[in-house]
Amino acid sequence: MLGSAAHNRYHPRMSDHTNQSQYAGYPNIRMRRNRQTDWARRLVREHSLRTDDLIWPIFIAPGSNTTESIPSMPGVFRYSLDLLIPKVREASDLGIPAVALFPATPPELKTDDCAEAFNPQNLVCQAVRAIKDAGIDIGIICDVALDPYSSHGQDGLVENGQVLNDQTLTALCKQAVVQAEAGCDIIAPSDMMDGRVGAIRQALDSNGFTQVQIMAYAAKYASAFYGPFRDAVGSSANLSTGDKKTYQMDPANTNEALREVALDVQEGADMVMVKPGMPYLDVLQRVKDEFSMPTFAYQVSGEYAMIKFAAANGALDEHKCMLESLLAFKRAGADGILTYFAIEAAKAIQGEK
Ligand code: PBG
């Protein structure tokens, strides 16, 4: 294998060591020479985080003049539409290329048929229109999955306790089309139904949205790290003790992730995503190496919460851990990162200049 051959060049076999001196290379080679000054470290630096790498996920609340805090995600809020606009403008002014919008749907609008998902006046569609009407120069990403709208908190339609695949595809296509009609730039299917990327591509194209991009949550795992997100969009209570293991991936698998990505690429995904982020850097690296696609990582709510709560309790330096965690995604091959730290990270990057 190419990878392991390259690997061996830097890791001589044991016999190479034993035939030569115990510390082959030293003292001629001193790795610390390149690390001794700030300028030298900058000169040899292999990866860097840029503002262009950041996507900011934002939660939207119904009503007006409302900022709701989310106890499991300190520093993250749900904004009503009027307060959302200045936040999105701030992101754009900082140079953040795109935002990902997540609506907290009022409980009375959650139903078994998830009809609110394809209501052109639903909260997320209103938000997309409001951002476009405000003339803000920023990409808008909308999630496609039924969980914000379902009475049971599942991403698909449910019958006799089963999440239905093919019937769900029809609903997802309608959801994608109303979002595109509202002005969404990138449709991001996060539902993990089989065949959804191809179905959505066809639905978008046949409605005249051939230029709307698809960012597929291609390798999305059934992860416990999504807990705080479900609080944020208000689906925790709906899902209750249920789980998503019949469609999201088993955290034990990586070959399967490559099959998932291959299918989404064949079906027309413009960009692919691996999710969660830091616990799945191995998957991210394999996906980038194998497909050379624009590849994104989602630093999910639980990863954010871990850093925030550890810092709040004095165990970690929040700022440094934030930047180190984001750089790890770049090292593993990500072209961009969805992160709740986007604003803070963009400010840090600008401060460095
Ligand atoms: C909806 C969706 C989820 C996330 C993004 N889109 C939750 C889930 O699948 O249960 C998680 C994001 C995060 O945890 O930050 N399907």
Side-chain angles (χ1 to χ4, degrees):
M1 247 177 59
L2 235 181
S4 47
H7 188 75
N8 283 340
R9 280 199 286 131
Y10 304 101
H11 295 91
R13 281 166 291 121
M14 278 308 285
S15 57
D16 295 346
H17 281 292
T18 44
N19 292 343
Q20 297 163 20
S21 88
Q22 196 187 351
Y23 299 110
Y26 173 85
N28 290 344
I29 296 173
R30 289 179 183 269
M31 296 301 286
R32 292 183 56 193
R33 255 183 231 124
N34 283 345
R35 296 180 198 142
Q36 64 188 310
T37 55
D38 181 62
W39 64 259
R41 289 191 293 271
R42 283 190 280 125
L43 199 60
V44 301
R45 188 159 291 155
E46 297 173 47
H47 298 281
S48 59
L49 180 70
R50 304 167 311 149
T51 307
D52 290 344
D53 301 324
L54 301 170
I55 296 172
W56 187 29
I58 319 179
F59 299 109
I60 316 164
S64 63
N65 197 24
T66 304
T67 307
E68 296 169 357
S69 58
I70 301 151
S72 55
M73 299 183 76
V76 172
F77 302 90
R78 294 180 207 101
Y79 300 103
S80 56
L81 291 185
D82 50 331
L83 301 184
L84 176 76
I85 298 303
K87 285 287 156 190
V88 175
R89 189 170 280 118
E90 182 185 5
S92 168
D93 289 347
L94 282 166
I96 292 173
V99 290
L101 305 179
F102 294 97
T105 308
E108 62 274 17
L109 295 178
K110 296 186 183 189
T111 56
D112 285 351
D113 65 0
C114 308
E116 183 64 6
F118 29 91
N119 170 7
Q121 297 308 327
N122 69 20
L123 193 53
V124 78
C125 289
Q126 285 184 43
V128 173
R129 280 196 204 91
I131 295 167
K132 291 289 175 186
D133 288 349
I136 304 172
D137 181 21
I138 199 160
I140 303 180
I141 303 174
C142 289
D143 223 57
V144 167
L146 300 179
D147 55 328
Y149 309 102
S150 62
S151 37
H152 42 65
Q154 296 289 354
D155 291 14
L157 299 171
V158 174
E159 203 175 270
N160 301 326
Q162 303 287 316
V163 177
L164 305 172
N165 195 86
D166 299 5
Q167 291 85 335
T168 297
L169 295 186
T170 311
L172 298 174
C173 288
K174 289 201 269 179
Q175 183 182 16
V177 169
V178 295
Q179 291 174 347
E181 280 166 354
C184 173
D185 300 295
I186 303 181
I187 295 291
S190 74
D191 54 284
M192 290 299 276
M193 297 300 120
D194 287 322
R196 90 273 207 220
V197 171
I200 291 170
R201 183 71 271 161
Q202 208 173 18
L204 290 172
D205 288 359
S206 60
N207 283 277
F209 298 111
T210 57
Q211 293 309 110
V212 170
Q213 293 150 271
I214 295 179
M215 177 187 283
Y217 284 73
K220 178 173 177 180
Y221 287 84
S223 173
F225 286 96
Y226 307 150
F229 173 95
R230 293 176 189 165
D231 297 338
V233 297
S235 67
S236 309
N238 302 87
L239 191 60
S240 180
T241 55
D243 63 55
K244 302 190 177 184
K245 290 180 186 169
T246 70
Y247 44 105
Q248 297 181 348
M249 282 181 56
D250 184 339
N253 297 349
T254 60
N255 289 329
E256 188 188 355
L258 300 188
R259 294 184 67 201
E260 281 285 3
V261 174
L263 286 167
D264 285 1
V265 172
Q266 272 172 28
E267 290 177 31
D270 301 289
M271 313 170 204
V272 295
M273 191 203 297
V274 173
K275 180 186 173 194
M278 207 146 80
Y280 295 82
L281 290 182
D282 57 326
V283 180
L284 175 63
Q285 186 168 32
R286 284 190 77 187
V287 166
K288 184 64 190 181
D289 287 353
E290 187 81 15
F291 298 97
S292 303
M293 286 288 290
T295 305
F296 294 81
Y298 199 142
Q299 181 180 50
V300 301
S301 55
E303 299 174 62
Y304 171 86
M306 285 198 298
I307 294 176
K308 278 285 183 178
F309 283 113
N313 285 282
L316 294 177
D317 180 318
E318 177 179 331
H319 189 76
K320 288 179 180 159
C321 288
M322 167 189 77
L323 290 174
E324 186 176 332
S325 67
L326 294 172
L327 188 58
F329 295 112
K330 295 303 302 289
R331 206 180 56 238
D335 295 288
I337 307 130
L338 291 94
T339 174
Y340 301 99
F341 286 119
I343 293 282
E344 215 176 317
K347 286 181 180 164
I349 292 165
Q350 308 219 330
E352 279 169 15
K353 280 184 192 148

